Amino acid sequence: INPNQYVDMVDDDNFVSFATAATDCFAQLVADMGQFSTPRLSYAHMLHICQNAPVAAGPANCTSHVVTAVTRREPHLKLSPEAIVSLCQGALSPAPGDCFAESKGLGSLEDRALLCNSAVNSGPSMCYRRATSVLKNHPEEHRALCLMADSEGPAECAAAAPHYLVAEEKVHLCTNAPVTGYNDPIKCLQ
């Protein structure tokens, strides 16, 4: 990792902030990961998790949370270091880990990590779970509908959408629909 490649992209104040956050994140991860026997994260993985960290605690807390929550809820699951990097790199809080833990049974580890990366709560996994009953024959649309969701709102909107809309149209209409007012995009059609 060459931190100099980012020097021209940010001004001096922001660079110092990013560098400090990444350094603090790495130090926190080294300390936290010493408490766990599995999964073992290499220093390279920890550097990738902390790379461009917007805040020090975000990626580090996400990683620690994933390791504890997933091993508690799914003890048989062998989460790879690469999946943890994918899930927690750039996280602002432990929320992607919460989302991942709630997504048990909703696809492959890679799919779950992609769904929950950048989550602000467990919304994407709750939405995805509901979407499986709404868009039954269109599993490829579940993640598209629920990526970045903060509730079940998009899936509820898709469930209430007119039957003449195809799955892809329901996704375009309902993505980002809130849990309260999920009918608002549908009212716009009328």
Side-chain angles (χ1 to χ4, degrees):
I1 297 174
N2 179 4
N4 294 326
Q5 71 191 31
Y6 300 103
V7 171
D8 295 333
M9 296 171 52
V10 295
D11 60 41
D12 290 341
D13 292 337
N14 285 334
F15 180 74
V16 170
S17 159
F18 280 123
T20 301
T23 302
D24 292 348
C25 171
F26 182 76
Q28 183 178 342
L29 269 180
V30 169
D32 289 352
M33 290 300 108
Q35 301 172 30
F36 305 111
S37 60
T38 181
R40 282 313 231 179
L41 293 176
S42 68
Y43 289 131
H45 288 116
M46 290 183 216
L47 284 171
H48 284 295
I49 289 169
C50 294
Q51 185 178 8
N52 299 327
V55 293
N61 289 343
C62 174
T63 302
S64 297
H65 189 70
V66 166
V67 171
T68 57
V70 171
T71 54
R72 190 176 336 113
R73 291 183 186 187
E74 299 178 77
H76 65 283
L77 184 66
K78 301 298 182 216
L79 194 57
S80 72
E82 291 77 16
I84 295 172
V85 170
S86 172
L87 185 60
C88 293
Q89 187 177 47
L92 296 173
S93 72
D98 290 335
C99 176
F100 186 86
E102 291 296 324
S103 71
K104 181 178 179 181
L106 295 180
S108 71
L109 295 178
E110 288 175 3
D111 289 342
R112 292 168 62 191
L114 288 172
L115 176 70
C116 294
N117 179 280
S118 301
V120 296
N121 59 21
S122 295
S125 59
M126 294 184 313
C127 175
Y128 192 103
R129 195 170 303 284
R130 175 71 173 109
T132 58
S133 64
V134 173
L135 302 171
K136 291 178 184 169
N137 298 322
H138 303 279
E140 68 283 356
E141 302 293 350
H142 299 164
R143 188 173 66 209
L145 178 66
C146 298
L147 199 63
M148 302 300 294
D150 63 0
S151 68
E152 292 178 331
E156 293 298 335
C157 174
H163 68 280
Y164 58 82
L165 294 178
V166 297
E168 185 178 339
E169 292 170 325
K170 290 180 181 183
V171 169
H172 288 305
L173 177 67
C174 296
T175 299
N176 299 322
V179 72
T180 56
Y182 65 84
N183 277 329
D184 290 348
I186 296 165
K187 290 177 187 174
C188 185
L189 284 177
Q190 300 169 346

